[in-house]
Amino acid sequence: MKFKIAKPVILASASPRRKEILSLLDFPITVIPSLVSEDIDVPTDDFAAYARELASMKTSAVAKEHDNHIVIGADTIVVHEGKLYSKPNSKEQAKTFLQELSGKTHTVITGVGIFEGGILRVFSVETAVTFRELDDVLIDAYVDSGDSMDKAGGYGIQTAGALLVEKIDGDYYNVMGLPLAKLTEHLRRLALIALKDGDPYIAY
């Protein structure tokens, strides 16, 4: 499917995975990474709010300089048993993450911000991911590949990290870093994008 856009779109993220996902809508995208710090307090009872706050910060930082654009920002986190699993800062931490998630179900939460016309709207999507029982040989080989290091929770479902996953319940693209179906729904409802054939820009 091909979509038309009401205004130029900026993706406020350096993630190649998010660019790849958003490109599926087949309209031009400009990438301007947000450089805001992620150093904010992590709540112990509402991780979705934390993901939305990060998405809001990233989107707003880019939108300040491009208020005549549609700006989309996002942040993805992994949560298990009340603990936040960020991007690992070492191979040792990545191995620990995967050992702790082995054989269990964790939650991937992506917060998404949409800025347009001076208004910022934010939402979040959650997907449950269940890992297989992982042996140390597999964990070591995966971490040594380098794939763990720039991904929340220490794995990427779209790469060899798929070998770690038993099943998912929810949006696959959300686990990759951008819940495309829900984002598209919001953009269409806001009359910011429309299908090229017979789909007018009408908010509903």
Side-chain angles (χ1 to χ4, degrees), residues 4 10 14 23 25 28 30 35-36 39 45 53 80 84 87 97 104 120 133 182:
K4 56 187 177 181
I10 294 175
S23 295
L25 300 184
T30 300
L35 302 178
V36 299
D39 186 20
D45 58 347
E53 178 62 21
H80 176 58
L84 177 69
K87 298 175 183 177
F97 283 0
K104 299 173 182 176
L120 175 66
E133 292 285 350
K182 182 60 69 173

Side-chain angles (χ1 to χ4, degrees), residues 48-121:
Y50 173 72
R52 291 192 297 269
E53 178 62 21
L54 288 174
S56 174
M57 291 166 54
K58 292 181 176 183
T59 306
S60 297
V62 173
K64 285 192 298 186
E65 305 297 328
H66 301 88
D67 59 3
N68 59 334
H69 291 67
I70 301 166
V71 181
I72 299 169
D75 193 87
T76 301
I77 61 174
V78 170
V79 178
H80 176 58
E81 294 183 348
K83 178 180 177 180
L84 177 69
Y85 290 76
S86 57
K87 298 175 183 177
N89 55 33
S90 67
K91 285 186 174 181
E92 290 71 25
Q93 187 176 52
K95 291 177 182 179
T96 298
F97 283 0
L98 298 181
Q99 287 168 343
E100 292 179 356
L101 297 175
S102 173
K104 299 173 182 176
T105 300
H106 60 269
T107 303
V108 178
I109 307 172
T110 299
V112 180
I114 303 170
F115 174 91
E116 189 276 329
I119 300 174
L120 175 66
R121 300 170 175 88

